[in-house]
Amino acid sequence: MGEGRTDAASAEQLAQRYRSLVEHTPDAICVHESGTIVYVNPAMVRLLGARSAEDLLGLSITRFVHPDSVPAMLDRIAKLTAEGSASPPTDMDLVRVDGRTVPVQTVSVLTVWKGELAYQVVVHDLTAQRAAEASARQAEAYFTTVVSQLEEGVLVVDRRGRLESINPAGKRILGIDDAEPVLGRLFDDLPMRMVDSDGQPLPPGEHPMAHTLATGEVVTHFVFGVERADGHQVWVSCNCRLLNPDSRDSSGVSSFADITEYRASRRQLEYQATHDALTGLANRSLILSQLSSALAYEGGSLVTTVLFIDLDGFKAINDTLGHAIGDTVLQIVAQRLQQALRSEDLVGRLGGDEFLVLLAGHPQRADLPALVERLRATMSEPIIASGHRLEVSASVGITELGPHEHRTPEAVLHDADVAMYRDKPSAHRELGLGQNRRSNNTHAS
């Protein structure tokens, strides 16, 4: 008898604990018997917007289920035939007392209530979750719209190197047709060819995205060329990083901009800074830079001979026929010098009618006189400018660089200038026309 009382007390204690748990759980719980509500916990009262449990007891459970959800609910509970069996978690809509709908997830369990079979329903409010999902969808749609409107290309590549997404600007920059299916393709198989700054094919492993995916490191301002399927070549500057740096399985995202015009403009500016505007030859700045490199090079194979060339009688052409004809003469002489020399030799214009030639390699000393005479003959050929037949001659000074040269570039130019002056016709030297002469054609940069 004592053991029976103890068992009963334990059962009652367990029931009290269960009722306390049900009363205080944040999930709503109700019990309906033959479709009639016989129990609701406080959370269910709050969920349905009732004032108290008494407002709900005795009412039909279907009164608080959205009509669209009633048939499926009745079908689920009809399949519960054994005590303790439960329906799968199911999303549905409930209807509150004030008529508003509430998205919920429910699980029904066939149980015994006061000696009779009944259905205990656990209800989880999905309002906050649905709001968060809607907010996430809205944010995703917003950022998708923003990315799609960017002038900068954006693409995402997964860990296997397959393209997950690319915005319209990315397709336009890379020359990919909108109708061409590229998502899911390997990035290296896209209809384009990547080249480095020297125009050589860029190995797949050296692409910044491959580096980022392999190491997790951020790459910024990486410049490479893209030879597109339509035959055009563009230059892009790209940044690459992992979408989620904390995940080993993160995809990589690359943003890239078309810098083709900027690169061309910069190269044009660089060209203008180092070349003579009138003749297109190297200007004094580039000549001194190349000569400085040659003097610093210990291999002895860059520049070994410097020719200083000055046109004789050019000032008279300027003074009598005008600077326009003088400019034409300088341009023709520049073309003839370039055509008479090798591509590896540098021809420059110091200013006025003074030209400089840096001979590359190791020309034989015995060959220099023949080279100089050939240049003289080339420049002395008649020039037709605005109906005038003109002939110019040239004085040429030669200075050679030794194997252990200690002169500065300016000193080398000075020695070549002195040698040129010595080559001037004696009459010119006597009149002082050969030294430190400068005509008014100062188009050199």
Side-chain angles (χ1 to χ4, degrees), residues 51-80:
R51 291 173 299 178
S52 65
E54 285 70 22
D55 291 339
L56 303 175
L57 298 180
L59 299 177
S60 171
I61 186 65
T62 57
R63 176 176 175 176
F64 301 100
V65 178
H66 192 278
D68 293 343
S69 300
V70 170
M73 181 199 74
L74 296 177
D75 182 64
R76 285 194 302 276
I77 63 177
K79 296 177 181 178
L80 304 179

Side-chain angles (χ1 to χ4, degrees), residues 15 18 53 79 108 115 151-152 187 210 214 216 232 264 311 324 352 384 386 437:
Y18 176 75
K79 296 177 181 178
S108 297
E151 288 298 318
E152 189 176 53
F187 182 75
H232 290 88
L311 302 184
I384 306 300
S386 299
R437 273 190 319 110

Side-chain angles (χ1 to χ4, degrees), residues 76-87 109-111 117 119:
R76 285 194 302 276
I77 63 177
K79 296 177 181 178
L80 304 179
T81 57
E83 182 181 344
S85 58
S87 66
V109 180
L110 185 61
T111 186
L117 288 176
Y119 299 97

Side-chain angles (χ1 to χ4, degrees), residues 7 172 193:
D7 291 343
R172 184 180 67 253
R193 180 172 176 264

Side-chain angles (χ1 to χ4, degrees), residues 133-432:
E133 291 172 351
S135 178
R137 287 193 299 270
Q138 184 179 13
E140 182 178 1
Y142 171 78
F143 285 112
T144 298
T145 301
V146 170
V147 170
S148 68
Q149 298 300 315
L150 288 175
E151 288 298 318
E152 189 176 53
V154 179
L155 58 81
V156 178
V157 177
D158 67 16
R159 303 297 302 185
R160 298 176 299 167
R162 298 186 182 279
L163 190 66
E164 290 186 333
S165 67
I166 182 170
N167 70 340
K171 286 188 174 183
R172 184 180 67 253
I173 293 172
L174 300 180
I176 300 173
D177 190 280
D178 286 337
E180 182 168 1
V182 293
L183 298 186
R185 292 176 59 176
L186 288 173
F187 182 75
D188 295 332
D189 291 340
L190 293 179
M192 63 182 185
R193 180 172 176 264
M194 293 177 288
V195 297
D196 60 22
S197 57
D198 296 323
Q200 299 301 311
L202 189 67
E206 294 183 14
H207 187 274
M209 179 60 81
H211 178 80
T212 294
L213 290 174
T215 65
E217 296 176 356
V218 175
V219 177
T220 59
H221 306 301
F222 186 95
V223 176
F224 62 94
V226 176
E227 294 179 352
R228 308 190 323 186
D230 59 10
H232 290 88
Q233 184 180 61
V234 298
W235 291 93
V236 300
S237 174
C238 80
N239 305 312
C240 296
R241 63 182 303 134
L242 295 180
L243 273 174
N244 182 7
D246 297 328
S247 173
R248 296 179 58 184
D249 298 325
S250 173
S251 298
V253 59
S254 174
S255 60
F256 49 97
D258 184 347
I259 61 168
T260 306
E261 292 186 5
Y262 166 77
R263 194 170 188 267
S265 298
R266 189 183 67 180
R267 292 204 165 195
Q268 180 64 22
L269 290 175
E270 291 173 350
Y271 180 87
Q272 292 173 351
T274 56
H275 288 77
D276 174 48
L278 177 64
T279 63
L281 298 179
N283 63 12
R284 185 182 186 89
S285 175
L286 181 55
I287 290 170
L288 289 174
S289 175
Q290 294 293 319
L291 190 52
S292 177
S293 298
L295 292 171
Y297 184 67
E298 297 181 356
S301 61
L302 291 178
V303 175
T304 56
T305 308
V306 177
L307 306 181
F308 197 115
I309 302 173
D310 184 85
L311 302 184
D312 298 324
F314 180 75
K315 184 175 184 300
I317 295 176
N318 262 347
D319 292 344
T320 59
L321 300 178
H323 293 293
I325 292 180
D327 288 350
T328 301
V329 170
L330 292 175
Q331 292 170 332
I332 293 175
V333 169
Q335 293 172 3
R336 290 178 177 180
L337 283 173
Q338 285 183 303
Q339 293 169 358
L341 293 164
R342 303 167 300 176
S343 60
E344 59 265 32
D345 299 324
L346 179 67
V347 182
R349 180 185 175 217
L350 293 176
D353 58 350
E354 293 178 343
F355 298 85
L356 200 79
V357 175
L358 305 183
L359 295 178
H362 296 277
Q364 297 296 318
R365 179 171 295 181
D367 296 335
L368 286 176
L371 171 63
V372 170
E373 288 307 313
R374 188 171 79 248
L375 292 179
R376 289 185 199 275
T378 298
M379 288 183 287
S380 66
E381 293 177 0
I383 296 174
I384 306 300
S386 299
H388 298 278
R389 179 185 175 88
L390 306 171
E391 294 183 8
V392 296
S393 59
S395 297
V396 181
I398 304 173
T399 185
E400 297 179 80
L401 306 184
H404 301 289
E405 188 62 65
H406 298 294
R407 286 178 295 176
T408 64
E410 291 79 4
V412 172
L413 260 61
H414 175 267
D415 292 346
D417 189 7
V418 171
M420 179 275 300
Y421 174 64
R422 290 173 182 160
D423 188 54
K424 281 285 181 185
S426 58
H428 287 186
R429 289 201 299 271
E430 291 170 1
L431 292 173

Side-chain angles (χ1 to χ4, degrees), residues 80-110:
L80 304 179
T81 57
E83 182 181 344
S85 58
S87 66
T90 305
D91 292 352
M92 59 186 296
D93 289 330
L94 295 185
V95 180
R96 288 165 46 95
V97 171
D98 58 12
R100 289 188 296 157
T101 59
V102 183
V104 298
Q105 184 179 78
T106 66
V107 174
S108 297
V109 180
L110 185 61

